[in-house]
Amino acid sequence: MWVPEGDTVWRSCQRLNEVLAGRELTRSEFRVPTLATTDLTGVTVRAVVSRGKHQLFRFANDFTLHTHFRMEGAWRIYPRGRKWTGGPDFQIRAVLATADHDAVGYRLPVTELLPTADEASVVGHLGPDLLGPDWDLDEALRRISLQPDRTVGEALLDQRNLAGIGTFYRAELLFLQGLHPRTPVAAVPNLRRVVQRGQQLLYANRWRPEQSTTGDLRPNRRAYVFERPGQPCRRCGTLIRTEEFGTPGQERRSYWCPRCQPSPSTGSANRALPVR
Ligand SMILES: [Zn+2]
């Protein structure tokens, strides 16, 4: 299943910012119980920014609308008068309209309004944003290294370490680095290079809707291992494997080539780690 990652959220917020920033809202609508009576008509949008996979709409009244796509959410922009096509009406959670555009939020699992001064309460826990203006490689490495026994696969997905990587980029990045997803952080030979490469992958994809790590934009050619279980590795022909792992309740699916990304326990370094 395709899931929004940091680059998708970044691109979405760039477009929202283009059509909303500096404009006055001619209509607002929130189809969530806590905001049912909220009306932002007449309020000017200051900016729309992304933090990891979160979206922040800052308004001139010093409030911020916080939304998050999680698995299926999306913001769609339509020129005024154009039909909305992002899904059935019951999936709409928020509408922000200006004289020229309608921005419609579909399937948003998080839709909340808070004082702009309190944004840290919803995004303050995030690690450095891979696509943010304040991206900080050293800080991301410091946070990841705090848990040296954790698997690199879990560490890269943890948005408190660094914000923006989801299961697509994790799978592809680890393939490109020849790392099995269950390799302990402490056993990764060049963690700095891994994180740098991850940032480059997101950055390279930030403007295009088709995420690709292979450089090929044709359907079914965009990934090395992601969602290719049982298919031959593009590099060595070995069949790609998959499993779900992670903290109980937060297991996520990983994909790897057993030849290009050997299990850490088959080497001499760590025989104690379970293999599957
Ligand atoms: Zn391979």
Side-chain angles (χ1 to χ4, degrees), residues 33 54 85 150 238:
H54 301 251
T85 55
R150 202 173 184 201
T238 306

Side-chain angles (χ1 to χ4, degrees), residues 175 233-238 240 257-261:
F175 173 82
C233 171
R234 299 194 195 284
R235 196 174 275 166
C236 75
T238 306
I240 302 300
C257 167
R259 183 154 179 216
C260 295
Q261 300 164 265

